[in-house]
């Protein structure tokens, strides 16, 4: 498990470095576009930009035209892998509490319910009764699978709500909004 996290951490650090480099390249392109748009608006609509400085215009232009989705995907991925130890610890705690209060039946009791009167399993006719314990152990892995899946969906929902809530409007809308 430690090697899994080491490999994932190295991959995420590499993705973060690539994202940082990409973000610098995009920032240069956005700055170039802001200069062109500023010159165009100064020439054709100077009254629209009367209350806005060139520096403030560049900030607004960068806010509107910088892609945000790759950063959110990277943040979601980092959060997901950082939450795995906490998720597993919480699932083990929930299972331990459920067993302590008697909410989870013992595997032997469940295995005995899978047997017919002749001592054969309901699902597997040719297997010994001990196979039911192995079967139940394997099925209990779904508890962890669905627990991790639920946490992951919660992380995605959190970041996507934030992504859409913080979405900027069009350039003209943002310029008008800064005047108010």
């Amino acid at each position: 498990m430690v090697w899994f996290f080491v490999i994932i951490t190295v991959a995420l650090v590499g993705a973060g470095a690539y994202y940082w480099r990409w973000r610098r390249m995009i920032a240069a392109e956005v700055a170039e576009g802001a200069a062109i748009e500023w010159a165009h608006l100064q020439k054709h609509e100077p009254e629209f930009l009367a209350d806005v400085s060139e520096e403030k215009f560049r900030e607004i232009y960068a806010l509107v035209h910088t892609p945000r989705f790759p950063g959110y995907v990277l943040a979601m991925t980092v959060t997901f892998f950082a939450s795995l130890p906490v998720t597993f610890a919480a699932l083990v705690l929930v299972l331990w509490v459920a067993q302590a209060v008697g909410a989870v039946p013992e595997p032997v009791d469940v295995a005995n319910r899978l047997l017919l009167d002749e001592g054969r399993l309901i699902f597997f006719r040719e297997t010994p009764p001990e196979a039911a314990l192995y079967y139940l152990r394997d099925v209990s892995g779904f508890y962890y699978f669905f627990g991790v899946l639920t946490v992951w969906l919660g992380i995605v929902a959190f970041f996507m709500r934030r992504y859409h809530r913080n979405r900027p409007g069009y350039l003209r809308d943002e310029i008008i909004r800064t005047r108010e």
Side-chain angles (χ1 to χ4, degrees):
M1 188 75 156
V2 172
W3 282 108
F4 171 75
F5 281 108
V6 168
I7 291 169
I8 292 300
T9 302
V10 168
L12 289 175
V13 167
Y18 179 76
Y19 172 74
W20 176 76
R21 188 170 173 218
W22 173 83
R23 179 87 178 201
R24 284 185 45 198
M25 181 185 69
I26 292 297
E29 291 177 9
V30 167
E32 181 182 337
I36 294 169
E37 188 71 21
W38 173 261
H40 175 75
L41 287 175
Q42 282 290 358
K43 183 178 179 183
H44 296 290
E45 299 181 60
E47 67 281 350
F48 182 68
L49 295 177
D51 299 338
V52 180
S53 67
E54 186 174 359
E55 183 178 315
K56 185 65 177 172
F57 179 80
R58 287 177 187 264
E59 289 176 20
I60 295 169
Y61 190 89
L63 175 72
V64 171
H65 291 288
T66 301
R68 300 175 310 124
F69 188 72
Y72 277 88
V73 169
L74 185 62
M76 278 190 295
T77 306
V78 168
T79 305
F80 172 66
F81 285 109
S83 72
L84 277 178
V86 176
T87 302
F88 287 140
L91 290 172
V92 167
L93 179 67
V94 167
L95 186 60
W96 179 76
V97 168
Q99 286 175 343
V101 298
V104 176
E106 291 295 322
V108 174
D109 297 334
V110 177
N112 287 336
R113 292 183 185 179
L114 295 176
L115 297 174
L116 291 174
D117 291 333
E118 297 89 34
R120 294 179 300 164
L121 291 174
I122 295 172
F123 298 116
F124 312 106
R125 302 282 182 208
E126 305 277 328
T127 58
E130 295 82 25
L133 291 174
Y134 292 115
Y135 172 73
L136 291 172
R137 188 192 65 189
D138 291 341
V139 170
S140 68
F142 281 107
Y143 167 75
Y144 290 100
F145 170 75
F146 286 116
V148 169
L149 187 64
T150 302
V151 169
W152 186 71
L153 289 174
I155 290 169
V156 170
F158 169 78
F159 278 103
M160 287 296 99
R161 287 179 70 96
R162 187 173 164 84
Y163 175 82
H164 290 292
R165 186 181 63 229
N166 296 337
R167 179 187 59 183
Y170 294 113
L171 181 62
R172 288 187 169 278
D173 298 338
E174 292 297 321
I175 290 172
I176 293 169
R177 191 172 296 141
T178 58
R179 291 183 188 158
E180 297 172 353

